[in-house]
Amino acid sequence: MPKRPVARVLPDSRLPQLDRLFDYAIPDGMDVEPGIRVKVPMGRGARLQAGFVVEVASESEFTGILQPIDSMVSPVVVLTHELLALAQEVAARGAGGVSDVLRLAIPARAVRVENAWRERDMVTPVLPDSPEAPDIYPSEGWHALAAHGSRHWWQLPYGVAPVAGVSVPRSYVEIARLAQSVLASGRSVVVCLPDWRDQELMGAALEAVVSRENLAAFDASHTPSTRYQHYLRCLDDRPVIVYGSRHSIYAPVSNLGAVIVVTDGDDSHRERLAPYPHSRDVALLRGEQSGAAVVFAGLSPSIEVIRLIEMGYLSELAPTIDSRPRVIPTALGTQSPAPTSPARLPSVAYRAVSQAVENGPVLVQVFHSGFAPGLVCGDCGERARCLECGGPLRSGEPGRAVSCGWCGHLAAAWRCTSCKSSSFRPSGHGIGRTTTELGKAFPGVPVIRADGDHPVLRVGSKPAVVVATRGAEPVAEGGYHAALLLDGDAMLQRPALDALEDTITAWEWAMSLLRPGAIAYLTDLDGRVAQAFASGAVRQLLSRELRDRQALRMPPAVRIASVTGASTRVAEILQRWDSVDGVDTLGPLPLSSGAVRGIVRMPYRLAREVADDLRAAVVKQATGSSPRGERQGRLKVAMDDVGALDEFALGPQ
């Protein structure tokens, strides 16, 4: 009897026990090749399960009768060999499943879009001319950014520049120039950006130097059909510039020349779904596999990038011309406020804003969203806390319902535990309260609010006070005439491991939006951090932070694994690894759900071994039966989750 061909299929399933290959017979007349989508029967009920054909073989090691593939969903090869290899490495590094990574990388199928793509007319790509190296960088160093196999930290310039009638950060103009250079050589580029604002600004900079036919945007706000359309565009055998959010890092482009990750320290680059990969790590893996250049670009390096630089793993390229705006620290309380200045502004900052706003827009960066970061009793001033969980009570705006910042419970029947009063008053300043006070301080001047609830991408060049939360700052036409960086102490005092890095990143971005000659005023902060930031010694400040973490065995000096589940299972894992040389454990810490969480800290050389062991534990639990009462304790593993360390600092909740 002749042997029939066998398809090895990876099910598209979230179940850990199904994250492996299953052999199926290929029916007569079905043209199957690796990378296509199929549906296969699975389980005792032969329920149909979607999956990807990973391999086609002549025979199977299975000695029984193979079930045949039920149907071929599409003949289009959406899972390339390169993407599969990348997904396998990402999954292994994160103690996760390959199918979970592919779910992040490959969009859902859209039939009409796919049919149109299959019937398209193939055209010869028209590549742009290669640009000259910018005069603010050494020519040899700039060309080395895109060299085969190179890895760089690239410091971007400050300021804004006009592009097609609008202003965009000059840093994005330089990224577009580098992407144009790579595309002109016939190679593809992937530009991975933090959020939608960066994507819009990057798109404007790119469209000014290359045609739209050479671009593919990966935007989370796109419809599923648009996302699939751009994904299929990447499968064409012609170079393309891909730009977008963290999912763009997986784009299956042909002849990849460079991967550029912008502001890699931004938390938006970390995936929220298992196995929680970070764009920085995926970029490095992709560079190793493909030989593409890897570039981390930003105004200041992340602590992870500083570690790689000091290891000699990354080269550096910095501008030869210093365009960083001047910073004046004005610690609150060191000077008496002017008679008409708002309570939050030192007199020197108030006078500077008053003069600058006569000529154009001024940026005010604040930390807290809402009206105020907290509430206190209106009578005795005691901190108002939730009667259910003890969390802080908050109110987004005056007149809105008060709720708990932890559990979300409404505080309709709240009474102060000290004086039994039911009245509140705001404590601290959120963007709402700041906007109100600045409106009173600058009568007749428009006050523009920009935050998550009020997204603003651009503002004009007319006088205005623009109040924005960090990361939500709009770009002003021609640049801002001054900037106020408020809440410095509150930003740095957060119980978060990355508080310093996040704060510096936010400050540097605000400064990059200033026009030449404009000054940034740093308020509410003095001491070492303020002095280092004002003097431009940010790199030295972050290098010192890295050394402190190395002494304390904190990421990125070591890798960590967060393990959440039933107390017996987590304790067993922690005990097993706590006896290994070089590895130590923290916890377990009880959680409100009834589960517990523990942390394993390990050197990089043991990280893969720990990840494999934790993945095996997850699969073992999924295939076995849980004792009564452990349903809420299903094992959850997250590698390099610094947020778990922050939760340990806060204690049981």
Side-chain angles (χ1 to χ4, degrees):
M1 183 176 179
K3 295 179 180 178
R4 302 179 64 185
V6 174
R8 295 196 168 98
V9 177
L10 176 67
D12 182 10
S13 172
R14 298 183 185 275
L15 298 177
Q17 63 270 34
L18 297 185
D19 188 52
R20 59 187 182 89
L21 300 184
F22 294 83
D23 287 359
Y24 287 89
I26 300 177
D28 294 335
M30 183 179 290
D31 188 12
V32 173
E33 61 178 315
I36 68 170
R37 304 181 202 247
V38 294
K39 285 190 176 181
V40 294
M42 183 158 289
R44 294 180 180 178
R47 183 176 179 179
L48 293 183
Q49 172 70 53
F52 298 97
V53 176
V54 171
E55 182 183 354
V56 175
S58 59
E59 58 183 317
S60 173
E61 296 180 358
F62 181 66
T63 57
I65 300 176
L66 292 179
Q67 291 269 42
I69 294 175
D70 179 82
S71 60
M72 182 170 60
V73 176
S74 168
V76 176
V77 177
V78 293
L79 174 58
T80 64
H81 175 74
E82 292 78 9
L83 178 55
L84 175 62
L86 178 63
Q88 290 170 335
E89 280 298 311
V90 172
R93 191 180 193 279
V98 178
S99 58
D100 290 333
V101 179
L102 295 181
R103 200 173 299 113
L104 303 174
I106 304 177
R109 179 179 181 239
V111 178
R112 291 185 179 180
V113 170
E114 183 177 281
N115 290 338
W117 178 79
R118 293 177 62 191
E119 297 172 359
R120 72 197 184 284
D121 294 328
M122 296 298 295
V123 296
T124 302
V126 178
L127 301 180
D129 295 331
S130 182
E132 296 182 358
D135 55 7
I136 61 172
Y137 293 102
S139 178
E140 183 178 351
W142 186 81
H143 286 292
L145 287 174
H148 180 80
S150 64
R151 297 179 297 266
H152 281 84
W153 151 247
W154 181 23
Q155 184 178 346
L156 299 172
Y158 296 81
V160 298
V163 171
V166 298
S167 291
V168 300
R170 187 181 178 187
S171 57
Y172 287 177
V173 174
E174 297 304 333
I175 295 173
R177 189 201 301 260
L178 179 63
Q180 176 190 0
S181 174
V182 178
L183 184 67
S185 68
R187 298 175 295 161
S188 295
V189 188
V190 174
V191 183
C192 191
L193 301 145
D195 62 23
W196 70 271
R197 294 178 180 83
D198 303 279
Q199 295 162 33
E200 292 287 339
L201 298 170
M202 190 74 252
L206 286 170
E207 290 181 9
V209 294
V210 300
S211 64
R212 290 189 178 183
E213 290 73 20
N214 289 322
L215 299 175
F218 279 54
D219 193 333
S221 65
H222 284 166
T223 63
S225 59
T226 301
R227 289 199 293 270
Y228 191 52
Q229 178 184 8
H230 290 170
Y231 184 87
L232 293 176
R233 165 65 181 87
C234 296
L235 293 174
D236 286 342
D237 190 20
R238 53 193 177 111
V240 63
I241 298 177
V242 173
Y243 68 98
S245 59
R246 56 182 179 266
H247 290 180
S248 65
I249 201 73
Y250 304 100
V253 297
S254 62
N255 193 16
L256 179 61
V259 180
I260 306 172
V261 181
V262 182
T263 316
D264 69 288
D266 193 295
D267 187 57
S268 298
H269 280 296
R270 180 173 176 84
E271 180 58 54
R272 271 52 175 174
L273 300 174
Y276 318 103
H278 195 286
S279 301
R280 175 180 53 248
D281 301 323
V282 180
L284 289 172
L285 289 173
R286 194 162 190 186
E288 291 177 0
Q289 291 183 344
S290 66
V294 178
V295 180
F296 299 113
L299 300 165
S300 61
S302 66
I303 293 180
E304 288 81 359
V305 162
I306 290 179
R307 171 182 168 272
L308 295 176
I309 293 173
E310 294 183 354
M311 289 173 54
Y313 193 74
L314 295 180
S315 301
E316 296 182 76
L317 180 65
T320 55
I321 301 174
D322 184 10
S323 59
R324 191 174 190 265
R326 182 185 174 194
V327 180
I328 297 180
T330 59
L332 191 62
T334 57
Q335 303 182 42
S336 59
T340 57
S341 67
R344 301 199 71 194
L345 302 186
S347 58
V348 62
Y350 175 72
R351 288 193 297 268
V353 172
S354 300
Q355 297 173 2
V357 80
E358 295 179 358
N359 301 315
V362 170
L363 175 64
V364 179
Q365 183 192 74
V366 299
F367 174 44
H368 296 290
S369 58
F371 186 78
L375 296 172
V376 297
C377 175
D379 291 343
C380 69
E382 190 73 19
R383 181 68 182 269
R385 293 194 173 276
C386 176
L387 300 179
E388 297 292 325
C389 71
L393 295 183
R394 296 176 180 175
S395 176
E397 299 293 344
R400 292 189 179 181
V402 176
S403 62
C404 176
W406 287 357
C407 68
H409 184 80
L410 294 178
W414 180 85
R415 290 290 185 273
C416 177
T417 56
S418 298
C419 68
K420 306 305 179 184
S421 172
S422 61
S423 63
F424 301 102
R425 58 183 171 87
S427 173
H429 287 73
I431 186 172
R433 189 175 182 183
T434 303
T435 300
T436 300
E437 292 186 356
L438 291 178
K440 296 177 181 178
F442 299 99
V445 179
V447 179
I448 301 173
R449 175 174 174 174
D451 57 12
D453 296 327
H454 306 82
V456 182
L457 183 63
R458 293 185 176 89
V459 296
S461 59
K462 295 182 179 180
V465 176
V466 181
V467 186
T469 52
R470 56 197 182 110
E473 302 89 347
V475 177
E477 183 179 346
Y480 289 100
H481 289 252
L484 296 182
L485 309 177
L486 304 182
D487 305 322
D489 186 63
M491 293 170 70
L492 289 171
Q493 294 304 318
R494 288 172 293 153
L497 183 65
D498 291 335
L500 174 62
E501 181 182 346
D502 290 345
T503 300
I504 289 177
T505 299
W507 288 344
E508 293 284 350
W509 172 252
M511 289 175 50
S512 73
L513 303 179
L514 295 175
R515 66 191 297 115
I519 298 176
Y521 296 86
L522 179 62
T523 71
D524 305 336
L525 188 70
D526 56 8
R528 176 174 57 89
V529 174
Q531 294 171 3
F533 183 74
S535 63
V538 170
R539 171 69 176 276
Q540 294 87 332
L541 189 65
L542 293 175
S543 294
R544 178 174 175 175
E545 173 77 2
L546 175 61
R547 291 193 296 272
D548 290 343
R549 294 195 193 182
Q550 290 170 337
L552 296 172
R553 285 181 56 81
M554 291 293 179
V558 296
R559 292 191 66 189
I560 64 171
S562 166
V563 186
T564 305
S567 58
T568 54
R569 296 183 185 273
V570 174
E572 178 185 350
I573 292 173
L574 297 184
Q575 184 178 11
R576 181 165 66 247
W577 282 104
D578 202 27
S579 59
V580 177
D581 186 36
V583 179
D584 67 307
T585 62
L586 302 174
L589 179 75
L591 304 177
S592 59
S593 62
V596 301
R597 174 171 297 158
I599 291 178
V600 182
R601 296 191 295 187
M602 73 217 80
Y604 282 77
R605 60 183 173 82
L606 294 177
R608 178 60 64 89
E609 185 179 348
V610 173
D612 291 344
D613 177 75
L614 295 178
R615 181 60 180 174
V618 171
V619 174
K620 179 180 178 181
Q621 186 194 52
T623 55
S625 58
S626 299
R628 185 183 299 274
E630 283 197 4
R631 185 172 181 83
Q632 80 282 2
R634 290 288 184 181
L635 274 180
K636 174 185 174 183
V637 175
M639 299 292 291
D640 306 309
D641 181 15
V642 295
L645 289 173
D646 299 337
E647 293 178 6
F648 265 67
L650 293 173
Q653 297 181 15

